[in-house]
Amino acid sequence: MRVLVIGANGKVGKHIVDKLKSADHDPVAMVRDPDQVPQFEEKGVDTVLGNLEKDFESAFYKIDAVIFAAGSGPDTGADKTILIDQEGAIKSIERAKHFGIQRFVMLSSMLADRPESGPSGMKHYLYAKHRADEHLKQSGLDYTIVRPGGLTNEPGTGCVMLQENMNNFGEIPREDVAETIAHLISVPKAENKSFDLISGSDPIKELLS
Amino acid sequence: MRVLVIGANGKVGKHIVDKLKSADHDPVAMVRDPDQVPQFEEKGVDTVLGNLEKDFESAFYKIDAVIFAAGSGPDTGADKTILIDQEGAIKSIERAKHFGIQRFVMLSSMLADRPESGPSGMKHYLYAKHRADEHLKQSGLDYTIVRPGGLTNEPGTGCVMLQENMNNFGEIPREDVAETIAHLISVPKAENKSFDLISGSDPIKELLS
């Protein structure tokens, strides 16, 4: 499958591109800045320029599935949380619909399904992610929403715990999140479902198979 | 009609309470802080305490219609734009549905129907208002969305220009916005419609009649 990775230059996004390639998919890395292109081209990965706050229509050309992994990050204001995490996601969903791309995987966040129970400093972020997730659920697309716990930069273990609703919070390496997403994108049983995700003992390659 | 005014202590909210009373409605002023109660009680206006970020369920008891006029204002961060302007509004819509209150009037903002064309410093605010307005449109409630232009503190003139879609931007006194909302709440032709609103020459009392 030719998979558009929105936010490919992000910390999880870079891993997603690699994991898609390892899984014999054909990733297309959408990046904002021309300086971000060479690192992907050196690996033989197609890139496309697109800015979530402006135009990124052309990115959806000849795409079979979309992964939204963009985020404004912790160093920008909450205005960018609205414009990127929420509205960038909603625009991406609408573009996918417009182009008839049926498969859409969202990198969300643990607690985005119940933002009112999040810590006060994160509530606005969780609500923004919640709105994007809700928009996807009602879009008619074949969605999968992945809500990982606290992200770390540890190397991936290849094993996780994936459940539709989890009561325990936990951490997980970004690499394992990326591998899980790259796996679930072609798993029919993952369609139209939302999952919490933390480190665990279940091999990613066997999830929902 | 017994009308719950959410954000009654705001600059437009205070006028709305007064205009509802003048129009022989029975306003209920929802305020966050007990210190904000006496100013309404002195006028014989019922008040109810409610915090949009916490609990305000009890405010909907024996209410016939809801006006959402709350806003986080320009002095707080965009996190509050999400939590108050967007999520506070969405929660209010959901509460109204839950309590079987069918009539809901939203104080929105000009350009909230096309946030992408707003000035860059206001885009996040316009998107937040847009999401709230969209939520209301899809709620099944009998909605009216009022999108005023630039708000001023000039005295009201009693005359405005109200159109479903306006290409010209303009200003309008908060008092005229309030009177328009207090008028439209009981006008059947205003139901399930959205309007831009600026100063003009049409008497408010005759709008859509």
Side-chain angles (χ1 to χ4, degrees), chain B residues 153-177:
Chain B
N153 289 325
E154 300 298 308
T157 65
C159 292
V160 297
M161 183 192 291
L162 181 84
Q163 286 178 4
E164 292 198 37
N165 286 292
M166 213 178 273
N167 283 318
N168 41 329
F169 196 78
E171 295 190 331
I172 181 166
R174 289 181 167 87
E175 188 180 350
D176 282 336
V177 174

PDB file of all heavy atoms in Angstrom, chain B residues 153-177:
ATOM      1  N   ASN B 153     -18.050  49.127  22.701  1.00  0.00           N
ATOM      2  CA  ASN B 153     -18.813  49.438  23.917  1.00  0.00           C
ATOM      3  C   ASN B 153     -19.728  50.647  23.734  1.00  0.00           C
ATOM      4  O   ASN B 153     -20.266  51.175  24.707  1.00  0.00           O
ATOM      5  CB  ASN B 153     -17.854  49.670  25.083  1.00  0.00           C
ATOM      6  CG  ASN B 153     -17.197  48.375  25.522  1.00  0.00           C
ATOM      7  OD1 ASN B 153     -17.818  47.312  25.481  1.00  0.00           O
ATOM      8  ND2 ASN B 153     -15.932  48.455  25.917  1.00  0.00           N
ATOM      9  N   GLU B 154     -19.909  51.107  22.496  1.00  0.00           N
ATOM     10  CA  GLU B 154     -20.842  52.210  22.232  1.00  0.00           C
ATOM     11  C   GLU B 154     -22.247  51.829  22.695  1.00  0.00           C
ATOM     12  O   GLU B 154     -22.575  50.647  22.736  1.00  0.00           O
ATOM     13  CB  GLU B 154     -20.892  52.495  20.716  1.00  0.00           C
ATOM     14  CG  GLU B 154     -19.571  52.882  20.087  1.00  0.00           C
ATOM     15  CD  GLU B 154     -19.019  54.174  20.660  1.00  0.00           C
ATOM     16  OE1 GLU B 154     -19.758  55.163  20.680  1.00  0.00           O
ATOM     17  OE2 GLU B 154     -17.861  54.160  21.122  1.00  0.00           O
ATOM     18  N   PRO B 155     -23.075  52.832  23.010  1.00  0.00           N
ATOM     19  CA  PRO B 155     -24.472  52.516  23.345  1.00  0.00           C
ATOM     20  C   PRO B 155     -25.180  51.903  22.139  1.00  0.00           C
ATOM     21  O   PRO B 155     -24.828  52.203  20.993  1.00  0.00           O
ATOM     22  CB  PRO B 155     -25.089  53.881  23.680  1.00  0.00           C
ATOM     23  CG  PRO B 155     -23.993  54.862  23.682  1.00  0.00           C
ATOM     24  CD  PRO B 155     -22.794  54.275  23.032  1.00  0.00           C
ATOM     25  N   GLY B 156     -26.142  51.061  22.404  1.00  0.00           N
ATOM     26  CA  GLY B 156     -26.891  50.434  21.323  1.00  0.00           C
ATOM     27  C   GLY B 156     -27.724  51.448  20.555  1.00  0.00           C
ATOM     28  O   GLY B 156     -28.139  52.471  21.101  1.00  0.00           O
ATOM     29  N   THR B 157     -27.956  51.150  19.275  1.00  0.00           N
ATOM     30  CA  THR B 157     -28.763  52.038  18.436  1.00  0.00           C
ATOM     31  C   THR B 157     -30.146  51.459  18.191  1.00  0.00           C
ATOM     32  O   THR B 157     -31.032  52.148  17.700  1.00  0.00           O
ATOM     33  CB  THR B 157     -28.093  52.233  17.065  1.00  0.00           C
ATOM     34  OG1 THR B 157     -28.081  50.960  16.386  1.00  0.00           O
ATOM     35  CG2 THR B 157     -26.664  52.735  17.219  1.00  0.00           C
ATOM     36  N   GLY B 158     -30.300  50.170  18.485  1.00  0.00           N
ATOM     37  CA  GLY B 158     -31.576  49.513  18.213  1.00  0.00           C
ATOM     38  C   GLY B 158     -31.737  49.090  16.764  1.00  0.00           C
ATOM     39  O   GLY B 158     -32.760  48.522  16.386  1.00  0.00           O
ATOM     40  N   CYS B 159     -30.708  49.366  15.956  1.00  0.00           N
ATOM     41  CA  CYS B 159     -30.776  48.991  14.537  1.00  0.00           C
ATOM     42  C   CYS B 159     -29.500  48.245  14.126  1.00  0.00           C
ATOM     43  O   CYS B 159     -28.404  48.579  14.585  1.00  0.00           O
ATOM     44  CB  CYS B 159     -30.936  50.232  13.662  1.00  0.00           C
ATOM     45  SG  CYS B 159     -32.542  51.030  13.868  1.00  0.00           S
ATOM     46  N   VAL B 160     -29.653  47.258  13.249  1.00  0.00           N
ATOM     47  CA  VAL B 160     -28.520  46.419  12.839  1.00  0.00           C
ATOM     48  C   VAL B 160     -28.664  45.996  11.388  1.00  0.00           C
ATOM     49  O   VAL B 160     -29.678  46.291  10.740  1.00  0.00           O
ATOM     50  CB  VAL B 160     -28.441  45.126  13.699  1.00  0.00           C
ATOM     51  CG1 VAL B 160     -28.201  45.455  15.168  1.00  0.00           C
ATOM     52  CG2 VAL B 160     -29.701  44.288  13.521  1.00  0.00           C
ATOM     53  N   MET B 161     -27.673  45.297  10.888  1.00  0.00           N
ATOM     54  CA  MET B 161     -27.793  44.574   9.624  1.00  0.00           C
ATOM     55  C   MET B 161     -27.541  43.092   9.922  1.00  0.00           C
ATOM     56  O   MET B 161     -26.467  42.734  10.415  1.00  0.00           O
ATOM     57  CB  MET B 161     -26.786  45.076   8.592  1.00  0.00           C
ATOM     58  CG  MET B 161     -26.949  44.380   7.235  1.00  0.00           C
ATOM     59  SD  MET B 161     -25.568  44.692   6.103  1.00  0.00           S
ATOM     60  CE  MET B 161     -25.827  46.421   5.774  1.00  0.00           C
ATOM     61  N   LEU B 162     -28.536  42.266   9.647  1.00  0.00           N
ATOM     62  CA  LEU B 162     -28.470  40.820   9.922  1.00  0.00           C
ATOM     63  C   LEU B 162     -28.647  40.078   8.605  1.00  0.00           C
ATOM     64  O   LEU B 162     -29.667  40.247   7.933  1.00  0.00           O
ATOM     65  CB  LEU B 162     -29.596  40.442  10.895  1.00  0.00           C
ATOM     66  CG  LEU B 162     -29.687  38.974  11.325  1.00  0.00           C
ATOM     67  CD1 LEU B 162     -28.730  38.705  12.496  1.00  0.00           C
ATOM     68  CD2 LEU B 162     -31.122  38.617  11.747  1.00  0.00           C
ATOM     69  N   GLN B 163     -27.651  39.276   8.238  1.00  0.00           N
ATOM     70  CA  GLN B 163     -27.754  38.512   6.978  1.00  0.00           C
ATOM     71  C   GLN B 163     -27.128  37.147   7.168  1.00  0.00           C
ATOM     72  O   GLN B 163     -26.156  37.008   7.918  1.00  0.00           O
ATOM     73  CB  GLN B 163     -27.004  39.232   5.850  1.00  0.00           C
ATOM     74  CG  GLN B 163     -27.705  40.465   5.317  1.00  0.00           C
ATOM     75  CD  GLN B 163     -26.889  41.167   4.234  1.00  0.00           C
ATOM     76  OE1 GLN B 163     -25.833  40.684   3.826  1.00  0.00           O
ATOM     77  NE2 GLN B 163     -27.392  42.308   3.784  1.00  0.00           N
ATOM     78  N   GLU B 164     -27.628  36.161   6.420  1.00  0.00           N
ATOM     79  CA  GLU B 164     -27.083  34.813   6.601  1.00  0.00           C
ATOM     80  C   GLU B 164     -25.611  34.748   6.206  1.00  0.00           C
ATOM     81  O   GLU B 164     -24.830  34.052   6.842  1.00  0.00           O
ATOM     82  CB  GLU B 164     -27.924  33.785   5.829  1.00  0.00           C
ATOM     83  CG  GLU B 164     -29.324  33.656   6.468  1.00  0.00           C
ATOM     84  CD  GLU B 164     -30.050  32.385   6.067  1.00  0.00           C
ATOM     85  OE1 GLU B 164     -29.401  31.336   5.926  1.00  0.00           O
ATOM     86  OE2 GLU B 164     -31.279  32.454   5.878  1.00  0.00           O
ATOM     87  N   ASN B 165     -25.249  35.467   5.162  1.00  0.00           N
ATOM     88  CA  ASN B 165     -23.834  35.531   4.790  1.00  0.00           C
ATOM     89  C   ASN B 165     -23.509  36.917   4.271  1.00  0.00           C
ATOM     90  O   ASN B 165     -24.136  37.400   3.342  1.00  0.00           O
ATOM     91  CB  ASN B 165     -23.510  34.496   3.718  1.00  0.00           C
ATOM     92  CG  ASN B 165     -23.460  33.106   4.283  1.00  0.00           C
ATOM     93  OD1 ASN B 165     -22.565  32.783   5.064  1.00  0.00           O
ATOM     94  ND2 ASN B 165     -24.434  32.293   3.926  1.00  0.00           N
ATOM     95  N   MET B 166     -22.535  37.530   4.892  1.00  0.00           N
ATOM     96  CA  MET B 166     -22.194  38.916   4.590  1.00  0.00           C
ATOM     97  C   MET B 166     -20.757  38.962   4.088  1.00  0.00           C
ATOM     98  O   MET B 166     -19.906  38.251   4.611  1.00  0.00           O
ATOM     99  CB  MET B 166     -22.276  39.677   5.908  1.00  0.00           C
ATOM    100  CG  MET B 166     -22.724  41.106   5.802  1.00  0.00           C
ATOM    101  SD  MET B 166     -22.814  41.799   7.473  1.00  0.00           S
ATOM    102  CE  MET B 166     -24.474  41.360   7.987  1.00  0.00           C
ATOM    103  N   ASN B 167     -20.511  39.790   3.080  1.00  0.00           N
ATOM    104  CA  ASN B 167     -19.133  39.890   2.589  1.00  0.00           C
ATOM    105  C   ASN B 167     -18.374  41.054   3.204  1.00  0.00           C
ATOM    106  O   ASN B 167     -17.153  41.058   3.230  1.00  0.00           O
ATOM    107  CB  ASN B 167     -19.116  40.005   1.070  1.00  0.00           C
ATOM    108  CG  ASN B 167     -19.363  38.659   0.425  1.00  0.00           C
ATOM    109  OD1 ASN B 167     -18.818  37.653   0.895  1.00  0.00           O
ATOM    110  ND2 ASN B 167     -20.184  38.619  -0.604  1.00  0.00           N
ATOM    111  N   ASN B 168     -19.128  42.018   3.719  1.00  0.00           N
ATOM    112  CA  ASN B 168     -18.465  43.177   4.320  1.00  0.00           C
ATOM    113  C   ASN B 168     -18.310  43.006   5.832  1.00  0.00           C
ATOM    114  O   ASN B 168     -19.219  42.550   6.513  1.00  0.00           O
ATOM    115  CB  ASN B 168     -19.255  44.452   4.034  1.00  0.00           C
ATOM    116  CG  ASN B 168     -20.754  44.250   4.173  1.00  0.00           C
ATOM    117  OD1 ASN B 168     -21.262  43.155   3.924  1.00  0.00           O
ATOM    118  ND2 ASN B 168     -21.445  45.286   4.572  1.00  0.00           N
ATOM    119  N   PHE B 169     -17.139  43.348   6.315  1.00  0.00           N
ATOM    120  CA  PHE B 169     -16.880  43.316   7.745  1.00  0.00           C
ATOM    121  C   PHE B 169     -17.317  44.653   8.336  1.00  0.00           C
ATOM    122  O   PHE B 169     -17.383  45.663   7.626  1.00  0.00           O
ATOM    123  CB  PHE B 169     -15.388  43.091   8.000  1.00  0.00           C
ATOM    124  CG  PHE B 169     -15.095  42.654   9.415  1.00  0.00           C
ATOM    125  CD1 PHE B 169     -15.310  41.341   9.798  1.00  0.00           C
ATOM    126  CD2 PHE B 169     -14.620  43.558  10.355  1.00  0.00           C
ATOM    127  CE1 PHE B 169     -15.058  40.928  11.105  1.00  0.00           C
ATOM    128  CE2 PHE B 169     -14.358  43.150  11.662  1.00  0.00           C
ATOM    129  CZ  PHE B 169     -14.578  41.837  12.028  1.00  0.00           C
ATOM    130  N   GLY B 170     -17.655  44.667   9.612  1.00  0.00           N
ATOM    131  CA  GLY B 170     -18.039  45.923  10.255  1.00  0.00           C
ATOM    132  C   GLY B 170     -18.051  45.764  11.751  1.00  0.00           C
ATOM    133  O   GLY B 170     -17.761  44.681  12.269  1.00  0.00           O
ATOM    134  N   GLU B 171     -18.393  46.839  12.430  1.00  0.00           N
ATOM    135  CA  GLU B 171     -18.457  46.805  13.894  1.00  0.00           C
ATOM    136  C   GLU B 171     -19.906  46.821  14.352  1.00  0.00           C
ATOM    137  O   GLU B 171     -20.823  47.075  13.558  1.00  0.00           O
ATOM    138  CB  GLU B 171     -17.714  48.014  14.464  1.00  0.00           C
ATOM    139  CG  GLU B 171     -16.222  47.976  14.168  1.00  0.00           C
ATOM    140  CD  GLU B 171     -15.451  49.047  14.949  1.00  0.00           C
ATOM    141  OE1 GLU B 171     -16.038  50.098  15.251  1.00  0.00           O
ATOM    142  OE2 GLU B 171     -14.276  48.799  15.258  1.00  0.00           O
ATOM    143  N   ILE B 172     -20.070  46.626  15.628  1.00  0.00           N
ATOM    144  CA  ILE B 172     -21.413  46.674  16.214  1.00  0.00           C
ATOM    145  C   ILE B 172     -21.283  46.814  17.731  1.00  0.00           C
ATOM    146  O   ILE B 172     -20.421  46.163  18.334  1.00  0.00           O
ATOM    147  CB  ILE B 172     -22.242  45.425  15.834  1.00  0.00           C
ATOM    148  CG1 ILE B 172     -23.655  45.503  16.436  1.00  0.00           C
ATOM    149  CG2 ILE B 172     -21.558  44.138  16.267  1.00  0.00           C
ATOM    150  CD1 ILE B 172     -24.644  44.510  15.843  1.00  0.00           C
ATOM    151  N   PRO B 173     -22.113  47.677  18.354  1.00  0.00           N
ATOM    152  CA  PRO B 173     -22.089  47.772  19.815  1.00  0.00           C
ATOM    153  C   PRO B 173     -22.556  46.459  20.460  1.00  0.00           C
ATOM    154  O   PRO B 173     -23.492  45.824  19.969  1.00  0.00           O
ATOM    155  CB  PRO B 173     -23.086  48.899  20.128  1.00  0.00           C
ATOM    156  CG  PRO B 173     -23.213  49.678  18.857  1.00  0.00           C
ATOM    157  CD  PRO B 173     -23.028  48.664  17.754  1.00  0.00           C
ATOM    158  N   ARG B 174     -21.885  46.083  21.561  1.00  0.00           N
ATOM    159  CA  ARG B 174     -22.292  44.872  22.283  1.00  0.00           C
ATOM    160  C   ARG B 174     -23.772  44.907  22.660  1.00  0.00           C
ATOM    161  O   ARG B 174     -24.450  43.886  22.658  1.00  0.00           O
ATOM    162  CB  ARG B 174     -21.442  44.725  23.554  1.00  0.00           C
ATOM    163  CG  ARG B 174     -19.998  44.351  23.253  1.00  0.00           C
ATOM    164  CD  ARG B 174     -19.172  44.181  24.518  1.00  0.00           C
ATOM    165  NE  ARG B 174     -17.898  43.524  24.215  1.00  0.00           N
ATOM    166  CZ  ARG B 174     -16.807  44.156  23.837  1.00  0.00           C
ATOM    167  NH1 ARG B 174     -16.796  45.477  23.711  1.00  0.00           N
ATOM    168  NH2 ARG B 174     -15.703  43.481  23.569  1.00  0.00           N
ATOM    169  N   GLU B 175     -24.271  46.109  22.983  1.00  0.00           N
ATOM    170  CA  GLU B 175     -25.669  46.213  23.395  1.00  0.00           C
ATOM    171  C   GLU B 175     -26.625  45.805  22.263  1.00  0.00           C
ATOM    172  O   GLU B 175     -27.655  45.175  22.510  1.00  0.00           O
ATOM    173  CB  GLU B 175     -25.968  47.653  23.864  1.00  0.00           C
ATOM    174  CG  GLU B 175     -27.350  47.772  24.496  1.00  0.00           C
ATOM    175  CD  GLU B 175     -27.676  49.194  24.961  1.00  0.00           C
ATOM    176  OE1 GLU B 175     -26.776  50.064  24.984  1.00  0.00           O
ATOM    177  OE2 GLU B 175     -28.857  49.419  25.302  1.00  0.00           O
ATOM    178  N   ASP B 176     -26.262  46.167  21.031  1.00  0.00           N
ATOM    179  CA  ASP B 176     -27.109  45.778  19.891  1.00  0.00           C
ATOM    180  C   ASP B 176     -27.028  44.270  19.613  1.00  0.00           C
ATOM    181  O   ASP B 176     -28.012  43.658  19.194  1.00  0.00           O
ATOM    182  CB  ASP B 176     -26.706  46.567  18.629  1.00  0.00           C
ATOM    183  CG  ASP B 176     -27.250  47.993  18.640  1.00  0.00           C
ATOM    184  OD1 ASP B 176     -28.260  48.245  19.325  1.00  0.00           O
ATOM    185  OD2 ASP B 176     -26.644  48.856  17.968  1.00  0.00           O
ATOM    186  N   VAL B 177     -25.848  43.710  19.824  1.00  0.00           N
ATOM    187  CA  VAL B 177     -25.718  42.250  19.685  1.00  0.00           C
ATOM    188  C   VAL B 177     -26.652  41.564  20.682  1.00  0.00           C
ATOM    189  O   VAL B 177     -27.399  40.633  20.338  1.00  0.00           O
ATOM    190  CB  VAL B 177     -24.259  41.793  19.939  1.00  0.00           C
ATOM    191  CG1 VAL B 177     -24.172  40.272  19.943  1.00  0.00           C
ATOM    192  CG2 VAL B 177     -23.315  42.387  18.901  1.00  0.00           C
TER     193      VAL B 177
END
